Amino acid sequence: MRLTSLTLAVIATLGVTLSNSANAEGFINSPVRVAIDRLGVPWVQKDDSFGLWREKKLPHGQKAIAASGGYFHYHFGTSPDDKGYAFYEGATFAISENGNAFRYQNYDWQSVTGCWGATDVSSFTVDHVYCVNGDGSLKKFNDKSGSFEGYFRIDNEVITKIDVALGGVIWAITESDKLFKYDGVKWTQQKVACGNLCSLVDIAVGGGQVYVVASVYGSNDGPQSVYTLNNGELAKFGSFYNIDVDREGVIWAISNYTRTLFYKRPGMTQFVEDPQMSFKVSNNIGS
Protein backbone atom coordinates (compact mmCIF):
# COMPACT_ATOMS: atom_id res chain seq x y z
CA MET A 1 0.00 0.00 0.00
CA ARG A 2 1.50 3.31 -1.05
CA LEU A 3 -0.33 5.53 1.42
CA THR A 4 -1.59 5.34 4.97
CA SER A 5 -5.20 6.02 5.90
CA LEU A 6 -4.22 9.59 6.76
CA THR A 7 -3.03 10.30 3.23
CA LEU A 8 -5.88 8.96 1.16
CA ALA A 9 -8.68 10.56 -0.74
CA VAL A 10 -11.94 9.05 -1.71
CA ILE A 11 -13.13 7.50 -4.91
CA ALA A 12 -14.99 4.65 -6.45
CA THR A 13 -18.36 3.31 -7.36
CA LEU A 14 -20.51 0.37 -8.01
CA GLY A 15 -21.04 -2.03 -10.86
CA VAL A 16 -22.06 -5.49 -12.10
CA THR A 17 -22.01 -7.66 -15.19
CA LEU A 18 -24.31 -10.65 -14.67
CA SER A 19 -27.63 -10.84 -16.47
CA ASN A 20 -31.09 -11.14 -14.95
CA SER A 21 -31.00 -14.88 -15.51
CA ALA A 22 -27.57 -15.44 -14.02
CA ASN A 23 -27.13 -18.07 -11.34
CA ALA A 24 -26.81 -16.72 -7.83
CA GLU A 25 -23.37 -16.84 -6.30
CA GLY A 26 -23.54 -17.80 -2.65
CA PHE A 27 -26.94 -16.13 -2.26
CA ILE A 28 -25.25 -12.90 -1.24
CA ASN A 29 -26.67 -9.47 -2.02
CA SER A 30 -23.95 -7.25 -3.44
CA PRO A 31 -23.45 -3.51 -3.88
CA VAL A 32 -22.91 -2.16 -7.39
CA ARG A 33 -20.23 0.53 -7.65
CA VAL A 34 -19.33 3.09 -10.30
CA ALA A 35 -15.99 4.90 -10.46
CA ILE A 36 -15.40 7.73 -12.92
CA ASP A 37 -11.84 8.09 -14.20
CA ARG A 38 -10.08 11.32 -15.16
CA LEU A 39 -11.30 10.97 -18.76
CA GLY A 40 -14.92 10.84 -17.61
CA VAL A 41 -15.31 7.11 -18.33
CA PRO A 42 -17.41 5.10 -15.82
CA TRP A 43 -16.08 1.80 -14.45
CA VAL A 44 -18.67 -0.60 -13.00
CA GLN A 45 -18.12 -3.29 -10.37
CA LYS A 46 -20.25 -5.81 -8.47
CA ASP A 47 -18.90 -6.68 -5.03
CA ASP A 48 -18.81 -10.46 -5.48
CA SER A 49 -15.93 -12.95 -5.38
CA PHE A 50 -14.81 -11.81 -8.83
CA GLY A 51 -14.91 -8.11 -8.00
CA LEU A 52 -13.98 -7.08 -11.53
CA TRP A 53 -14.09 -3.43 -12.58
CA ARG A 54 -15.32 -3.10 -16.15
CA GLU A 55 -15.09 -0.05 -18.36
CA LYS A 56 -18.60 1.07 -19.39
CA LYS A 57 -18.51 4.22 -21.51
CA LEU A 58 -21.55 6.45 -21.83
CA PRO A 59 -23.23 6.61 -25.28
CA HIS A 60 -21.72 8.81 -28.00
CA GLY A 61 -18.49 9.39 -26.07
CA GLN A 62 -20.12 11.53 -23.41
CA LYS A 63 -18.12 12.12 -20.23
CA ALA A 64 -19.61 11.29 -16.83
CA ILE A 65 -19.41 13.76 -13.94
CA ALA A 66 -21.45 11.93 -11.27
CA ALA A 67 -22.71 8.43 -10.57
CA SER A 68 -24.59 6.39 -8.00
CA GLY A 69 -24.48 2.64 -7.51
CA GLY A 70 -27.31 0.29 -6.72
CA TYR A 71 -27.64 -3.27 -5.50
CA PHE A 72 -27.50 -6.77 -6.96
CA HIS A 73 -30.07 -9.13 -5.43
CA TYR A 74 -30.33 -12.91 -5.24
CA HIS A 75 -33.56 -14.92 -5.07
CA PHE A 76 -33.70 -18.48 -3.82
CA GLY A 77 -35.19 -21.07 -6.12
CA THR A 78 -38.18 -23.29 -5.47
CA SER A 79 -36.20 -26.50 -4.87
CA PRO A 80 -32.89 -27.50 -3.22
CA ASP A 81 -31.42 -28.14 -6.66
CA ASP A 82 -32.29 -24.65 -7.90
CA LYS A 83 -29.43 -22.21 -7.27
CA GLY A 84 -31.78 -19.32 -7.64
CA TYR A 85 -31.32 -16.33 -9.87
CA ALA A 86 -29.81 -12.89 -9.63
CA PHE A 87 -31.10 -9.52 -10.76
CA TYR A 88 -30.20 -5.85 -10.69
CA GLU A 89 -32.26 -3.57 -8.55
CA GLY A 90 -31.95 -0.94 -11.30
CA ALA A 91 -30.71 1.90 -9.09
CA THR A 92 -27.35 2.53 -10.78
CA PHE A 93 -27.25 5.92 -12.53
CA ALA A 94 -24.80 8.37 -14.08
CA ILE A 95 -24.90 12.01 -15.16
CA SER A 96 -23.02 13.23 -18.22
CA GLU A 97 -21.17 16.53 -18.55
CA ASN A 98 -24.12 17.75 -20.64
CA GLY A 99 -26.49 17.14 -17.75
CA ASN A 100 -28.10 14.02 -19.22
CA ALA A 101 -29.15 11.10 -16.99
CA PHE A 102 -28.40 7.43 -17.71
CA ARG A 103 -29.45 4.18 -16.04
CA TYR A 104 -27.33 1.01 -16.09
CA GLN A 105 -29.43 -1.84 -17.50
CA ASN A 106 -28.80 -4.88 -19.71
CA TYR A 107 -25.02 -4.44 -19.54
CA ASP A 108 -25.14 -0.86 -20.80
CA TRP A 109 -26.20 2.73 -20.08
CA GLN A 110 -29.74 3.64 -21.14
CA SER A 111 -30.86 7.25 -21.53
CA VAL A 112 -33.38 8.47 -18.94
CA THR A 113 -35.60 11.50 -19.44
CA GLY A 114 -36.84 14.06 -16.93
CA CYS A 115 -33.59 15.69 -15.79
CA TRP A 116 -32.12 18.66 -17.62
CA GLY A 117 -28.77 20.27 -16.95
CA ALA A 118 -28.32 17.80 -14.09
CA THR A 119 -25.24 18.10 -11.85
CA ASP A 120 -25.57 15.11 -9.50
CA VAL A 121 -27.46 11.87 -8.89
CA SER A 122 -27.83 9.63 -5.84
CA SER A 123 -29.79 6.50 -4.93
CA PHE A 124 -30.52 4.21 -2.01
CA THR A 125 -32.95 1.83 -3.71
CA VAL A 126 -34.79 2.08 -6.99
CA ASP A 127 -37.59 3.73 -4.99
CA HIS A 128 -35.23 6.46 -3.80
CA VAL A 129 -33.27 7.86 -6.73
CA TYR A 130 -32.90 11.63 -7.16
CA CYS A 131 -31.14 13.90 -9.64
CA VAL A 132 -30.08 17.49 -9.02
CA ASN A 133 -31.76 19.47 -11.77
CA GLY A 134 -30.24 22.44 -13.55
CA ASP A 135 -32.34 24.89 -11.54
CA GLY A 136 -31.09 23.54 -8.21
CA SER A 137 -34.17 21.46 -7.46
CA LEU A 138 -34.49 17.68 -7.17
CA LYS A 139 -36.44 15.25 -9.32
CA LYS A 140 -37.30 11.70 -8.23
CA PHE A 141 -37.02 8.65 -10.46
CA ASN A 142 -40.28 6.81 -11.24
CA ASP A 143 -39.51 3.18 -12.03
CA LYS A 144 -42.91 2.65 -13.68
CA SER A 145 -42.50 5.46 -16.20
CA GLY A 146 -38.73 5.09 -16.41
CA SER A 147 -38.14 8.83 -16.01
CA PHE A 148 -37.39 11.49 -13.41
CA GLU A 149 -40.49 13.33 -12.20
CA GLY A 150 -41.76 15.55 -9.41
CA TYR A 151 -40.23 18.62 -7.89
CA PHE A 152 -38.37 18.98 -4.59
CA ARG A 153 -36.60 22.15 -3.56
CA ILE A 154 -35.32 24.09 -0.57
CA ASP A 155 -36.81 27.57 -0.24
CA ASN A 156 -34.40 30.29 -1.36
CA GLU A 157 -31.62 27.75 -1.96
CA VAL A 158 -29.97 26.13 -4.99
CA ILE A 159 -29.00 22.48 -4.41
CA THR A 160 -25.65 21.42 -5.86
CA LYS A 161 -24.84 17.99 -4.32
CA ILE A 162 -26.86 15.24 -2.63
CA ASP A 163 -26.53 11.83 -1.01
CA VAL A 164 -29.47 9.52 -0.38
CA ALA A 165 -28.94 7.65 2.88
CA LEU A 166 -30.66 4.88 4.85
CA GLY A 167 -34.40 4.71 4.18
CA GLY A 168 -34.26 7.36 1.47
CA VAL A 169 -33.28 10.30 3.71
CA ILE A 170 -31.71 13.04 1.55
CA TRP A 171 -28.68 15.12 2.55
CA ALA A 172 -28.05 18.17 0.37
CA ILE A 173 -25.39 20.85 -0.08
CA THR A 174 -26.51 24.18 -1.49
CA GLU A 175 -24.80 26.85 -3.52
CA SER A 176 -24.58 29.03 -0.41
CA ASP A 177 -22.46 26.37 1.39
CA LYS A 178 -25.29 25.22 3.63
CA LEU A 179 -26.11 21.63 4.58
CA PHE A 180 -29.70 20.35 4.74
CA LYS A 181 -31.42 17.07 5.62
CA TYR A 182 -34.79 15.94 4.24
CA ASP A 183 -36.68 13.31 6.26
CA GLY A 184 -39.52 12.88 3.79
CA VAL A 185 -41.57 15.69 5.31
CA LYS A 186 -39.40 18.79 5.65
CA TRP A 187 -35.93 20.17 5.07
CA THR A 188 -33.86 20.96 8.17
CA GLN A 189 -30.62 22.93 8.02
CA GLN A 190 -27.69 21.17 9.69
CA LYS A 191 -25.07 23.05 11.67
CA VAL A 192 -21.61 23.31 10.10
CA ALA A 193 -19.42 25.42 12.36
CA CYS A 194 -16.64 26.39 9.92
CA GLY A 195 -18.72 29.23 8.47
CA ASN A 196 -16.89 31.34 5.88
CA LEU A 197 -13.66 29.39 6.46
CA CYS A 198 -14.83 26.43 4.39
CA SER A 199 -16.59 25.61 1.15
CA LEU A 200 -18.72 22.44 1.02
CA VAL A 201 -17.96 20.34 -2.06
CA ASP A 202 -19.73 16.98 -1.60
CA ILE A 203 -21.51 14.78 0.96
CA ALA A 204 -21.60 11.04 1.75
CA VAL A 205 -23.64 9.40 4.51
CA GLY A 206 -23.32 5.80 5.67
CA GLY A 207 -22.25 3.51 8.47
CA GLY A 208 -23.66 5.92 11.04
CA GLN A 209 -21.39 8.74 9.91
CA VAL A 210 -21.69 11.90 7.84
CA TYR A 211 -18.69 12.62 5.60
CA VAL A 212 -18.24 16.09 4.12
CA VAL A 213 -15.85 16.86 1.29
CA ALA A 214 -14.78 20.44 1.91
CA SER A 215 -12.24 23.04 0.99
CA VAL A 216 -11.03 24.56 4.26
CA TYR A 217 -9.12 27.83 4.44
CA GLY A 218 -5.50 27.30 5.50
CA SER A 219 -5.45 23.56 4.78
CA ASN A 220 -2.30 22.09 3.26
CA ASP A 221 -4.07 19.08 1.74
CA GLY A 222 -4.89 20.54 -1.64
CA PRO A 223 -8.17 21.95 -2.93
CA GLN A 224 -10.36 19.62 -0.83
CA SER A 225 -10.30 16.88 1.83
CA VAL A 226 -12.77 14.69 3.71
CA TYR A 227 -14.11 15.53 7.17
CA THR A 228 -16.62 13.91 9.50
CA LEU A 229 -19.45 16.02 10.85
CA ASN A 230 -19.66 15.72 14.65
CA ASN A 231 -22.15 17.99 16.44
CA GLY A 232 -21.67 20.61 13.75
CA GLU A 233 -17.87 20.48 13.86
CA LEU A 234 -15.73 19.25 10.96
CA ALA A 235 -13.11 16.71 12.08
CA LYS A 236 -10.37 15.75 9.61
CA PHE A 237 -10.94 12.22 8.30
CA GLY A 238 -8.32 11.94 5.57
CA SER A 239 -6.59 13.57 2.64
CA PHE A 240 -9.20 12.39 0.18
CA TYR A 241 -10.50 14.00 -2.97
CA ASN A 242 -13.88 12.23 -2.87
CA ILE A 243 -15.66 9.61 -0.74
CA ASP A 244 -18.66 7.30 -0.75
CA VAL A 245 -20.12 4.62 1.54
CA ASP A 246 -22.09 1.65 0.20
CA ARG A 247 -24.93 -0.19 1.94
CA GLU A 248 -22.51 -2.81 3.30
CA GLY A 249 -20.61 -0.09 5.16
CA VAL A 250 -17.58 -0.21 2.83
CA ILE A 251 -15.93 3.21 2.52
CA TRP A 252 -14.48 4.10 -0.89
CA ALA A 253 -12.14 7.04 -1.32
CA ILE A 254 -9.86 8.74 -3.83
CA SER A 255 -6.42 9.81 -2.65
CA ASN A 256 -5.52 13.49 -2.89
CA TYR A 257 -2.00 12.48 -3.81
CA THR A 258 -2.29 9.58 -6.27
CA ARG A 259 -5.93 10.07 -7.32
CA THR A 260 -6.32 6.28 -7.19
CA LEU A 261 -9.07 4.29 -5.50
CA PHE A 262 -8.88 2.97 -1.93
CA TYR A 263 -11.39 1.10 0.20
CA LYS A 264 -11.95 0.21 3.85
CA ARG A 265 -14.32 -2.58 4.82
CA PRO A 266 -15.94 -2.82 8.28
CA GLY A 267 -13.36 -4.14 10.74
CA MET A 268 -10.36 -2.93 8.74
CA THR A 269 -8.05 -0.45 10.48
CA GLN A 270 -6.56 1.09 7.35
CA PHE A 271 -7.50 1.86 3.78
CA VAL A 272 -6.21 -0.47 1.07
CA GLU A 273 -5.63 0.51 -2.54
CA ASP A 274 -7.86 -1.35 -4.99
CA PRO A 275 -5.40 -3.41 -7.07
CA GLN A 276 -7.43 -3.29 -10.28
CA MET A 277 -7.92 0.47 -10.20
CA SER A 278 -4.44 1.39 -8.96
CA PHE A 279 -3.45 2.41 -12.49
CA LYS A 280 -6.51 4.62 -12.99
CA VAL A 281 -6.68 8.26 -11.96
CA SER A 282 -10.22 8.79 -10.68
CA ASN A 283 -12.38 11.82 -10.09
CA ASN A 284 -15.61 10.49 -8.60
CA ILE A 285 -17.09 7.46 -6.85
CA GLY A 286 -20.69 6.31 -6.37
CA SER A 287 -22.16 3.31 -4.62
Side-chain angles (χ1 to χ4, degrees):
M1 186 177 72
R2 286 183 282 175
L3 300 176
T4 68
S5 60
L6 295 178
T7 59
L8 308 180
V10 183
I11 156 183
T13 59
L14 313 177
V16 174
T17 54
L18 298 179
S19 70
N20 290 349
S21 61
N23 287 337
E25 179 196 87
F27 309 112
I28 299 173
N29 295 327
S30 303
V32 178
R33 307 185 176 110
V34 183
I36 301 173
D37 68 22
R38 66 182 178 86
L39 299 178
V41 176
W43 292 71
V44 181
Q45 182 215 43
K46 183 173 87 67
D47 188 24
D48 57 13
S49 64
F50 301 103
L52 298 176
W53 288 92
R54 302 177 189 275
E55 181 179 311
K56 294 292 180 180
K57 296 181 179 180
L58 292 181
H60 313 299
Q62 298 182 75
K63 295 181 180 180
I65 60 171
S68 182
Y71 224 52
F72 195 91
H73 294 279
Y74 297 94
H75 276 187
F76 289 97
T78 57
S79 72
D81 297 326
D82 189 343
K83 294 183 179 180
Y85 64 94
F87 70 99
Y88 289 105
E89 157 188 277
T92 301
F93 286 79
I95 298 295
S96 75
E97 61 181 344
N98 298 323
N100 300 315
F102 295 88
R103 186 186 191 188
Y104 189 72
Q105 287 184 306
N106 300 322
Y107 304 101
D108 210 349
W109 296 104
Q110 309 294 330
S111 179
V112 179
T113 60
C115 287
W116 55 268
T119 59
D120 199 13
V121 65
S122 185
S123 63
F124 181 72
T125 67
V126 73
D127 294 323
H128 297 284
V129 184
Y130 297 85
C131 73
V132 179
N133 221 24
D135 62 355
S137 66
L138 301 183
K139 302 191 76 173
K140 185 177 182 180
F141 182 71
N142 184 329
D143 194 31
K144 292 183 178 179
S145 66
S147 64
F148 283 92
E149 302 173 355
Y151 187 74
F152 302 80
R153 72 171 309 118
I154 304 172
D155 290 342
N156 303 314
E157 296 288 346
V158 175
I159 298 172
T160 57
K161 287 289 184 178
I162 60 169
D163 191 55
V164 182
L166 183 66
V169 174
I170 307 171
W171 290 74
I173 291 173
T174 66
E175 201 173 58
S176 59
D177 282 324
K178 296 176 184 176
L179 179 63
F180 289 84
K181 180 181 179 181
Y182 183 71
D183 60 6
V185 178
K186 63 179 180 180
W187 290 98
T188 304
Q189 186 175 350
Q190 307 297 299
K191 178 184 176 183
V192 182
C194 60
N196 295 329
L197 295 178
C198 72
S199 177
L200 306 185
V201 179
D202 210 342
I203 180 81
V205 183
Q209 189 63 264
V210 177
Y211 300 92
V212 178
V213 182
S215 176
V216 177
Y217 179 77
S219 172
N220 295 320
D221 296 314
Q224 61 197 54
S225 287
V226 174
Y227 302 81
T228 55
L229 183 65
N230 299 312
N231 297 318
E233 300 288 340
L234 292 182
K236 182 68 176 291
F237 179 73
S239 298
F240 306 131
Y241 185 79
N242 195 254
I243 189 166
D244 200 43
V245 186
D246 66 32
R247 276 186 279 170
E248 301 300 308
V250 182
I251 306 172
W252 293 84
I254 302 171
S255 165
N256 262 349
Y257 302 103
T258 63
R259 288 292 182 89
T260 52
L261 180 61
F262 288 76
Y263 66 88
K264 184 179 178 183
R265 297 182 181 277
M268 293 173 60
T269 58
Q270 291 186 324
F271 278 87
V272 175
E273 186 174 29
D274 186 287
Q276 293 183 62
M277 296 296 285
S278 62
F279 70 100
K280 276 292 175 186
V281 175
S282 301
N283 287 331
N284 188 276
I285 176 69
S287 57

